[in-house]
Structures are given as structure tokens and as C-alpha cells.
Amino acid sequence: MQGGGRTARNHFIGAMIPLALAVAWYAIKGPAVDYAPWGVLVLVYPAAVLMVRRLHDMGHSGWLAAVPTVLSILAMGVWTKRISLGAQLDGVVPTAALVVCAAFTVWGCAAKGQSAANGF
């Protein structure tokens, strides 16, 4: 990985593969394993850190990573039935979190990094 709070595209892809596999495992095992939602929630931190570093490498503010992070935490709350945002939003929030996280991941995998100094 690069210094200065940046993660190059190839390192980002390499780190996202095991992270995505872990999330998929927890999602598939969710109904059979009581701790599955909490396992996914634990993975939010490394995913957020990785995305912030990738955003910095692409020349963007790391605060953009707050969008998928907050949506993921809300989705975990809905999934574990700890919070309810109303019948309609309870169905939409997990789907929105999945779509937004996938979009950020694809963006991080596809976008080129900047060679200029890190401004963030």
C-alpha cells in the first residue's frame, strides 16, 4: 500500500476480495448463525477505512465513505430487528445499503488514482 493515507487500485481490489467473501459468508449463514449480523457489522470498520484510503488516492474526500458506512449500520440494525424505520424503509434500507456499497466498490476498483500529492 502507498503511504500518506492512500490505497492503490490493485491493493484495494486485493483487500476487497476477502472482505466481500466474508460478508457473503455471513449473509448466507445469517439465518442459521445468531452472530452473523454482528460479524458483518465488525467488517464495516475495515471496509470504511479501506474506502477512505481509496477515496484519498482518487483525489476525493474520505467523508464520502460515510454514505455506505451509515447505510450499512442502519441495515444491520434493521436486519437484527434492533431498529425499525417503518415497514417501507425496513425493506428499502438493506437493499439501498447493498447497492451503494457495491457501487462504491466498483468505483474504487475502476477509478484511477491521482499522482498528485494527497490533499486530504
Side-chain angles (χ1 to χ4, degrees):
M1 293 196 186
Q2 298 173 344
R6 298 169 80 151
T7 299
R9 181 173 31 188
N10 58 338
H11 291 118
F12 178 77
I13 293 169
M16 286 306 292
I17 291 170
L19 196 58
L21 289 173
V23 169
W25 185 85
Y26 280 120
I28 290 167
K29 293 292 185 183
V33 181
D34 290 337
Y35 61 84
W38 304 113
V40 174
L41 190 59
V42 167
L43 296 173
V44 168
Y45 177 75
V49 169
L50 187 60
M51 182 52 74
V52 166
R53 291 178 58 91
R54 182 67 186 129
L55 285 166
H56 285 176
D57 187 57
M58 296 181 333
H60 297 286
S61 171
W63 283 103
L64 288 172
V67 175
T69 303
V70 169
L71 279 173
S72 296
I73 292 169
L74 284 173
M76 290 303 108
V78 170
W79 189 20
T80 59
K81 307 232 187 291
R82 301 277 184 197
I83 62 171
S84 177
L85 304 170
Q88 289 181 327
L89 285 179
D90 283 353
V92 172
V93 168
T95 303
L98 180 63
V99 168
V100 169
C101 288
F104 266 74
T105 301
V106 169
W107 182 33
C109 290
K112 292 183 179 181
Q114 290 187 338
S115 59
N118 187 356
F120 296 100

